[in-house]
Amino acid sequence: MAKDTPPAKRGRKRAVGEDEVVAAAIRLLGARGADAVSIRGIAAELGLAPNAVYTYFPDRAAVIGAVVEHLLGETGLAALTARDTPWRERIHTLADDLRRRLLAHPGAVNLLLSGPMDGPNALALGEALLAVLADADLDPTEAARASYLLIVQVLGAIALEAAELPSPAPAPPIAERVATRREQLRSIPADRFPRTAEAADTIAQFVSDEQYTWGLDRVLDGIEGRTES
């Protein structure tokens, strides 16, 4: 008489942590864009059931918050805290770093702006920015207002730039993007929009490093003027 066959052993459940969930969300963001970052999408990316993701995050909004926190956490604060460096230069370093990192994931920009930035990394970034503005001799009220103005300028400029990019692919070279914009502007009828046609070369370069720096410098000029008045 044949012996009973023992039941097959079940494979171990794959264990993941919050970091793996966030990493999977960022992979999806880079490969398929912001719309792909869902609980089901992340679970499929990790080879898990959706309930496994819900163990760590109650909903998509919580995942998005964690992704934003991760991206902000990659921004080095050392440049902001280098008090031997002029305050304006420190802010330029931060702004350039944020632009470079976020435009590497164009879909992340909309995620960044889709909810409050109130996690530990966001708060640390804001705290460091307030410290820089204190070094610029702004009082606490002026520093708070100036920090908000800078965040609006920097993230607003990056968001408008990202809106023109073929997400989820990283940004093409700036020269290529400027050339594309210039070609598009040529189709605008000069008889109806003469000022736009006249400024076409300048408008084409709105996505350039020069324009980004120019806008930030105008804001910093205004902030610096407050300290001298």
Side-chain angles (χ1 to χ4, degrees), residues 23-95:
I26 291 173
R27 287 197 300 273
L28 286 172
L29 184 64
R32 294 164 52 194
D35 290 343
V37 183
S38 65
I39 297 295
R40 288 187 177 279
I42 293 166
E45 174 74 12
L46 291 170
L48 301 170
N51 284 347
V53 178
Y54 284 120
T55 302
Y56 301 101
F57 297 99
D59 50 33
R60 180 178 186 269
V63 176
I64 298 305
V67 169
V68 169
E69 269 289 285
H70 176 86
L71 294 173
L72 290 177
E74 289 184 334
T75 303
L77 299 183
L80 281 183
T81 57
R83 302 191 69 180
D84 56 339
T85 303
W87 69 272
R88 288 181 64 134
E89 186 176 330
R90 285 185 266 166
I91 290 175
H92 268 289
T93 299
L94 168 69

Side-chain angles (χ1 to χ4, degrees), residues 12 41 49 53 77 111 130 214:
R12 287 185 180 179
V53 178
L77 299 183
L111 297 184
L130 288 171
W214 185 93

Side-chain angles (χ1 to χ4, degrees), residues 115-132:
M117 291 188 292
D118 54 4
N121 290 333
L123 290 172
L125 181 60
E127 183 74 11
L129 184 55
L130 288 171
V132 173

Side-chain angles (χ1 to χ4, degrees), residues 76-165:
L77 299 183
L80 281 183
T81 57
R83 302 191 69 180
D84 56 339
T85 303
W87 69 272
R88 288 181 64 134
E89 186 176 330
R90 285 185 266 166
I91 290 175
H92 268 289
T93 299
L94 168 69
D96 291 343
D97 190 37
L98 277 172
R99 181 172 177 242
R100 178 177 59 82
R101 291 184 186 280
L102 291 177
L103 291 184
H105 304 283
V109 181
N110 283 337
L111 297 184
L112 189 69
L113 300 178
S114 66
M117 291 188 292
D118 54 4
N121 290 333
L123 290 172
L125 181 60
E127 183 74 11
L129 184 55
L130 288 171
V132 173
L133 293 166
D135 288 344
D137 294 328
L138 270 68
D139 65 38
T141 298
E142 291 284 325
R145 288 174 171 167
S147 69
Y148 180 72
L149 176 62
L150 284 165
I151 289 168
V152 169
Q153 168 63 31
V154 169
L155 294 185
I158 294 171
L160 288 173
E161 195 172 346
E164 298 186 12
L165 296 178

